[in-house]
Amino acid sequence: MMKKKILIIEDNEQNMYMLTYLLESNNYQVIKAFTGVEGIRVASESFPDAILLDIQLPEMDGYTVARNLRSIRELDSAPIIAVTSYAMVGDREKVMDSGADGYIEKPIDPDTFIQQMETILVEKRNSQHD
Ligand code: MN
């Protein structure tokens, strides 16, 4: 079976390392981008199966990145999952309004992260088949 390709957009090296490790250990292929602009470029060139998106990014924040990604027609079916430490009331809505399909809170829990991600991917897939 072909490995699913996940694009990680994350500026923090430690988080990038952790997410890459978790995904590769679970048989996913990883593509990395350390800024939003780079992430949008990479996404439109390599058509990932899903995108993990940090919200707190330098220059262009994750909300803006999500809106940009959603404007790319070829990426319509690619789930965007925000991965962020923002835990304030209203942030979840702000994330979802910007075009994300789900939300995983930081700090990342290595024991549950993959399951959290796959739950969101399944929900997105099911909603597309309704
Ligand atoms: Mn960040």
Side-chain angles (χ1 to χ4, degrees):
M1 210 174 95
M2 245 174 74
K3 287 188 180 183
K4 278 201 174 163
K5 196 159 58 175
I6 311 284
L7 168 62
I8 307 171
I9 307 176
E10 165 67 76
D11 65 317
N12 179 282
E13 292 273 359
Q14 269 180 301
N15 289 333
M16 180 65 93
Y17 180 86
M18 162 93 88
L19 290 169
T20 301
Y21 173 78
L22 288 171
L23 288 166
E24 288 182 346
S25 318
N26 284 275
N27 215 31
Y28 288 95
Q29 183 192 339
V30 168
I31 318 170
K32 303 175 194 178
F34 288 88
T35 69
V37 172
E38 186 189 356
I40 293 164
R41 183 180 55 77
V42 172
S44 52
E45 286 170 4
S46 59
F47 305 112
D49 296 297
I51 299 162
L52 296 178
L53 174 62
D54 180 25
I55 294 300
Q56 240 177 328
L57 289 167
E59 293 165 40
M60 186 190 285
D61 68 30
Y63 306 112
T64 311
V65 176
R67 280 192 292 273
N68 272 273
L69 290 170
R70 278 293 162 251
S71 72
I72 302 169
R73 188 190 306 207
E74 292 81 356
L75 293 173
D76 261 359
S77 63
I80 299 172
I81 302 172
V83 184
T84 176
S85 53
Y86 285 168
M88 284 154 32
V89 177
D91 273 347
R92 188 186 168 85
E93 279 152 309
K94 202 172 163 191
V95 164
M96 302 304 277
D97 284 350
S98 68
D101 298 287
Y103 177 101
I104 299 174
E105 267 185 39
K106 285 178 183 169
I108 296 151
D109 180 346
D111 294 328
T112 60
F113 182 83
I114 294 293
Q115 199 191 339
Q116 287 177 283
M117 182 189 80
E118 288 177 347
T119 300
I120 297 168
L121 297 183
V122 168
E123 281 168 3
K124 166 88 168 177
R125 204 177 309 140
N126 290 344
S127 73
Q128 284 169 331
H129 291 177
D130 280 349

